[in-house]
Amino acid sequence: MKLWVLRHGQAEPYARSDAERELTAQGREEVLRSAAHLIGQPLHAIIASPYVRAQQTAQLVREALGFDPQILTVPWLTSDNNPLAVVGHLDYADNILLVSHQPLVGNLIGLLQHGHLRAPQPMHTASLAELEADYPLAGAMTLNSVKHP
């Protein structure tokens, strides 16, 4: 199975709440550059944080790929969630894209690759990581690449 982890594109610095921050024009361009790396990949699902910038990122990817299924929005992909809990939700996963935020994305990638939270993966806005393994288990996945827009 492959797992792609995408950090949302650049977002405006302020909004009424963190959850309401929208992508900037530069952020939309970053996302489209990252989405190009997913063309032709065997993607089965896009799962995203409910925050506006993550939803906008996921929708841009969906449109760029011509991906038919709807985006699955889940509360466990916000920035302050525990990466261990996220791994618990991935037991059914097969070739999925997660769209979320720092520090969750970096901590999740580090956990999946190393089995601990002491080595988070640096992720810029719209950075895309590709991991692979038989099962999405902490310490059992190989980080194939990280692409920055």
Side-chain angles (χ1 to χ4, degrees):
M1 69 116 7
K2 285 189 178 183
L3 174 69
W4 292 272
V5 180
L6 177 62
R7 182 178 176 197
H8 63 79
Q10 180 190 74
E12 59 189 11
Y14 302 104
R16 288 186 320 169
S17 70
D18 183 45
E20 296 176 69
R21 292 173 48 214
E22 295 192 18
L23 292 179
T24 63
Q26 178 181 332
R28 288 187 292 277
E29 290 174 17
E30 291 172 343
V31 170
L32 292 174
R33 285 195 300 271
S34 291
H37 297 292
L38 293 167
I39 294 171
Q41 294 295 333
L43 189 63
H44 294 144
I46 298 174
I47 305 174
S49 156
Y51 288 12
V52 170
R53 61 193 179 276
Q55 289 289 305
Q56 291 173 325
T57 297
Q59 188 60 36
L60 282 168
V61 170
R62 182 175 178 258
E63 291 169 4
L65 299 179
F67 188 72
D68 216 22
Q70 293 297 311
I71 297 162
L72 177 60
T73 302
V74 296
W76 44 265
L77 277 179
T78 57
S79 59
D80 57 346
N81 277 309
N82 185 331
L84 291 167
V86 173
V87 171
H89 289 285
L90 299 179
D91 60 349
Y92 63 88
D94 188 24
N95 298 336
I96 63 169
L97 170 65
L98 300 179
V99 181
S100 188
H101 319 267
Q102 280 289 56
L104 179 63
V105 293
N107 288 330
L108 177 63
I109 295 165
L111 176 64
L112 290 169
Q113 185 180 12
H114 305 295
H116 57 74
L117 297 172
R118 296 183 303 270
Q121 174 66 42
M123 295 288 282
H124 305 290
T125 54
S127 287
L128 176 69
E130 178 187 309
L131 298 108
E132 190 168 14
D134 289 335
Y135 301 102
L137 301 172
M141 296 197 82
T142 300
L143 180 61
N144 290 339
S145 67
V146 177
K147 297 190 172 29
H148 306 289

